[in-house]
Amino acid sequence: MRILVTGAAGFIGSFVAGRLLAAGHSVLGIDDLNPYYSPSLKRDRLARLEGREGFEFRQIAVQDREGIKALFDAERFDRVIHLAAQAGVRYSLENPEAYVDSNLVGFLTILEGCRHHQVPHLVYASTSSVYGANTRQPFSPHHGVDHPVSLYAATKRANELMAHTYSHLYRLPTTGLRFFTVYGPWGRPDMAAWLFTKAILAGEPIKVFNHGKMRRDFTYVTDVAEAVVRVMDVIPEPNPEWDSDCPDPATSNAPFRIYNVGNSEPVELNHFIAVLETLLGKTAIRENLPLQLGDVLSTSADTSDLEAATGFRPQTSIEDGLAQFVEWYRDYYRA
């Protein structure tokens, strides 16, 4: 198939593109290579894809309405996998405008392209952050999610609502994937594994929010890529049992679905740090801090729907996943 992957130079996008190429698909990847973090890292990710049979890259921002329209006018896609976004909870406190431009305007351009060119299936990235102030766990896509605690989460929840609208109005099949704390090789420099590894090796203090008493459903990046590729072929159909008197948020009378993609084994941040210390052979210097604005205490994914639909669920342990990350980090930075 011919597949558009937005955010192809990003962390998850580069792995998804690689997995698609390995399966024999043709991939057109787009990315704007913006400087939110090092563009050189993004180019190095692309270098792993460029030259492989079936891969093509174009530098386009998803919020570039004319550029995206021209792309869809010129191409025919069997699937669109939309992973481009302004990521990060904490950065949304500093630069909210970036989230509106990329996550709202950018998503609308993709929806419009899919609508006008009858794309058979749009798969897009959402986030576990949409669960916000919810405390009932494990989080289920069948729970309501109307209390986000960061603008990042609010824009991702808005994406789900926008997708449902297009599924309802134009019968565009859409599937949203709520990713839970993705980590692994080639990750973003603003994420915990990277920040902690860099600081521990340099003998510098790490910032440990809520004294490490937070739990996260850390999910290894290749598991996430596998889930995306499998979901791609599970095209949603209207749920005949959907009840408008008691509406299920994860399904609809339109071709719309939402799945969690998580490891279903929450890990306390203190344990995460301890595993890194063992792998690096050094003890972290901790700067214990209170819970940060926009953070939540715990995340845990109910992935039963994903497993039922695809036969797959993420299951890489934190010990194995961090070992792979540390090996990559030492090699990439000659550390």
Side-chain angles (χ1 to χ4, degrees):
M1 291 188 291
R2 178 70 162 165
I3 301 170
L4 173 65
V5 176
T6 73
F11 174 32
I12 297 172
S14 62
F15 275 90
V16 169
R19 175 67 178 78
L20 290 168
L21 293 170
H25 298 294
S26 168
V27 175
L28 174 57
I30 67 170
D31 201 293
D32 64 356
L33 303 176
N34 72 62
Y36 168 60
Y37 61 86
S38 170
S40 66
L41 174 62
K42 299 176 184 181
R43 294 190 183 96
D44 287 343
R45 292 186 189 127
L46 281 176
R48 300 169 62 233
L49 301 170
E50 290 172 330
R52 294 178 61 175
E53 184 177 356
F55 182 73
E56 179 184 353
F57 175 74
R58 299 182 193 174
Q59 187 170 344
I60 306 173
V62 288
Q63 61 266 37
D64 177 357
R65 296 178 181 179
E66 293 305 315
I68 295 298
K69 181 179 183 302
L71 179 69
F72 276 93
D73 286 345
E75 299 279 347
R76 179 190 175 278
F77 300 115
D78 299 295
R79 301 286 188 274
V80 171
I81 299 177
H82 178 56
L83 303 172
Q86 178 58 60
V89 169
R90 290 163 190 162
Y91 187 61
S92 68
L93 303 176
E94 303 170 21
N95 189 3
E97 292 83 1
Y99 291 76
V100 172
D101 294 342
S102 183
N103 299 4
L104 298 183
V105 175
F107 192 52
L108 180 63
T109 69
I110 298 299
L111 285 169
E112 281 287 281
C114 292
R115 165 201 171 190
H116 288 292
H117 295 275
Q118 293 79 52
V119 170
H121 191 192
L122 167 63
V123 178
Y124 62 95
S126 186
T127 173
S128 62
S129 295
V130 300
Y131 289 102
N134 288 23
T135 55
R136 178 185 170 194
Q137 293 191 27
F139 292 142
S140 167
H142 303 285
H143 295 168
V145 285
D146 296 321
H147 298 87
V149 296
S150 69
L151 182 66
Y152 168 64
T155 61
K156 286 297 190 174
R157 178 59 180 145
N159 286 172
E160 296 175 353
L161 298 173
M162 294 162 71
H164 182 269
T165 302
Y166 273 66
S167 294
H168 172 76
L169 291 173
Y170 310 114
R171 314 317 286 178
L172 170 66
T174 66
T175 299
L177 300 178
R178 293 175 179 168
F179 298 144
F180 280 68
T181 316
V182 187
Y183 74 102
W186 298 97
R188 299 200 321 265
D190 62 339
M191 300 180 78
W194 188 304
L195 290 170
F196 290 171
T197 296
K198 180 181 179 181
I200 291 170
L201 287 174
E204 298 171 351
I206 61 172
K207 293 182 178 180
V208 183
F209 294 100
N210 203 46
H211 300 262
K213 299 292 184 181
M214 299 189 295
R215 295 171 65 82
R216 289 291 182 270
D217 205 338
F218 292 101
T219 311
Y220 193 62
V221 64
T222 57
D223 284 342
V224 171
E226 183 67 25
V228 172
V229 172
R230 292 199 185 203
V231 163
M232 176 183 77
D233 288 331
V234 183
I235 300 178
E237 296 182 352
N239 178 4
E241 298 179 356
W242 192 81
D243 183 357
S244 59
D245 286 337
C246 186
D248 173 12
T251 70
S252 177
N253 58 1
F256 167 89
R257 282 304 301 262
I258 291 177
Y259 297 102
N260 284 338
V261 181
N263 212 52
S264 303
E265 291 188 7
V267 172
E268 188 175 84
L269 186 59
N270 284 323
H271 179 66
F272 182 92
I273 295 167
V275 172
L276 271 180
E277 289 175 325
T278 298
L279 291 167
L280 297 170
K282 294 188 71 175
T283 300
I285 303 168
R286 300 166 60 109
E287 180 185 353
N288 287 308
L289 298 167
L291 188 69
Q292 193 173 34
L293 195 64
D295 268 350
V296 297
L297 285 174
S298 178
T299 64
S300 176
D302 177 349
T303 59
S304 55
D305 286 359
L306 176 72
E307 188 170 4
T310 67
F312 174 78
R313 66 177 180 85
Q315 52 191 334
T316 302
S317 71
I318 196 68
E319 289 78 11
D320 290 343
L322 282 179
Q324 293 295 317
F325 171 78
V326 167
E327 181 181 0
W328 168 81
Y329 186 95
R330 286 188 179 279
D331 178 67
Y332 187 74
Y333 284 105
R334 306 292 188 264

